[in-house]
Amino acid sequence: MSRPGRGALRMVVGSVAALLAVALIVALRMPEVAAWQWYLRAGKPGMADFEPRLDGALRWADDYFVVEELGDGAWAIGEPRYGQCNFSYLIAGSERALLFDTGPGVRDIGPIVGSLTKLPVLALPSHLHFDHVGNLARFADVALPDLPALRAQARGGRIRLTRYQHLGFIEGGIPVEFAVTRWLAPGSSIELGGRTLRLLSMPGHTADSVVLEDQGANRLFAGDFIYPSQIYAFLPGADLDAYAASAQRLAARLGPATVVYGAHGCDQAPTVAVPRLARTDVQDLARALTVAAASSGPIGAGLYPRRLPVNGRMILYAKYPWMVR
Ligand SMILES: [Zn+2]
């Protein structure tokens, strides 16, 4: 081989080696991200490919949103045409209303909310994944839990989510930015007028996950902490130890008659129902998470994510212990 030929070969080999080194560094730094992206190759969420059949008291509000009146001034607002079938919850007192989660933002949820209540609305996300924060920028009054990491991220009353906080890149979306008008301390009460909600910090699915307790109505609004089908404890930022501790804490404080409302509701697709669970489901999840967190090796079965049955309605999806930093 001539000298110029050898030089070109060395350059190609060097470039490939450099690329491999960069890929290795990225994979080692964020193995959970790399593994999750590998898992997603099987199919990205997007719009649902079935015609929804509404169960119970669910009704179409337009051609996209479904609504169920839960009684006691609360409504479930679902998006069954969206692949992840998000459910947000509107809870009204006599003076104001709170919207817990706002959906992926495929459609503006504002007109539906406005058709259900004329009260001023405070929007609060259960956590910051893209399918819950998509409409936050459309609301004038937005609350976040007062957690040090979120406070540090805010600039001039606004917060711009990071790529791995938002995760919207899996659907081609970019992290959203929105104004924060209220910082609510974990454990604090939210007064709506004749109705008091309690904000509980429940890290696990994400570090900033919160749930809302409405003790007067025996309800818990749980976001992605618990809902029927796959419980995601494997996404970037998820923490099994924290999740297990949160689930134990939550199971211990719920009354036996508490109805638990989750954020995703198409586990029986094409039948769509408001995702309701009971205290026993929270107890079952706490048990499964405790077993998973205590395990020194990989839990459950499957290549990735590892799958551990919780009960007849839920499967825990977890990452490998070595992926957690
Ligand atoms: Zn989530």
Side-chain angles (χ1 to χ4, degrees):
M1 195 178 281
S2 68
R3 266 176 198 287
R6 270 209 299 273
L9 183 66
R10 264 206 299 274
M11 219 168 76
V12 169
V13 170
S15 304
V16 169
L19 276 175
L20 284 175
V22 168
L24 188 67
I25 288 165
V26 169
L28 287 174
R29 275 180 61 84
M30 293 184 294
E32 56 186 354
V33 174
W36 179 54
Q37 284 175 324
W38 175 84
Y39 162 72
L40 282 174
R41 289 181 318 166
K44 290 192 281 187
M47 298 309 281
D49 57 359
F50 58 85
E51 183 54 33
R53 282 206 299 264
L54 305 190
D55 196 34
L58 264 182
R59 299 285 175 264
W60 287 104
D62 58 16
D63 62 330
Y64 177 79
F65 286 103
V66 294
V67 171
E68 182 170 317
E69 188 167 2
L70 306 176
D72 272 334
W75 294 266
I77 305 172
E79 303 181 48
R81 295 203 186 283
Y82 174 64
Q84 302 204 59
C85 201
N86 281 68
F87 272 80
S88 306
Y89 294 90
L90 180 65
I91 307 142
S94 58
E95 289 162 24
R96 61 189 177 117
L98 185 144
L99 180 64
F100 191 51
D101 283 333
T102 64
V106 171
R107 288 274 190 98
D108 184 357
I109 201 170
I112 300 298
V113 171
S115 73
L116 298 172
T117 182
K118 299 301 172 206
L119 294 170
V121 175
L122 172 66
L124 167 72
S126 64
H127 62 298
L128 300 173
H129 284 159
F130 65 99
D131 51 323
H132 300 257
V133 301
N135 279 304
L136 273 185
R138 291 184 162 115
F139 287 85
D141 200 3
V142 174
L144 283 185
D146 195 356
L147 299 169
L150 294 182
R151 275 276 191 164
Q153 206 178 332
R155 294 278 179 279
R158 297 182 67 79
I159 195 161
R160 182 173 179 78
L161 302 185
T162 67
R163 179 177 167 84
Y164 295 109
Q165 217 170 19
H166 181 250
L167 300 181
F169 61 86
I170 63 162
E171 290 186 3
I174 55 166
V176 294
E177 182 180 330
F178 51 91
V180 183
T181 47
R182 295 167 203 250
W183 293 94
L184 305 176
S188 65
S189 297
I190 305 168
E191 301 292 342
L192 301 178
R195 177 185 291 267
T196 304
L197 304 176
R198 190 172 295 279
L199 180 78
L200 302 174
S201 169
M202 288 286 155
H205 175 71
T206 65
D208 46 30
S209 291
V210 293
V211 301
L212 271 185
E213 202 175 53
D214 184 347
Q215 278 188 326
N218 248 340
R219 289 176 180 148
L220 181 89
F221 299 96
D224 276 3
F225 189 88
I226 185 169
Y227 53 85
S229 71
Q230 300 107 18
I231 303 297
Y232 279 14
F234 73 103
L235 297 180
D239 182 329
L240 263 188
D241 291 335
Y243 214 150
S246 294
Q248 288 168 8
R249 192 158 48 92
L250 189 58
R253 70 177 286 140
L254 292 183
T258 306
V259 179
V260 178
Y261 293 90
H264 298 277
C266 289
D267 56 307
Q268 306 289 327
T271 299
V272 179
V274 173
R276 285 182 175 85
L277 291 167
R279 182 178 72 166
T280 50
D281 294 303
V282 178
Q283 291 168 334
D284 289 345
L285 179 61
R287 263 192 294 275
L289 283 164
T290 304
V291 167
S295 168
S296 53
I299 59 120
L303 184 57
Y304 192 81
R306 300 287 289 184
R307 294 156 167 87
L308 181 73
V310 174
N311 63 21
R313 300 194 69 188
M314 290 178 284
I315 301 171
L316 178 64
Y317 278 27
K319 49 194 163 192
Y320 290 96
W322 56 265
M323 291 179 170
V324 181
R325 301 299 164 102

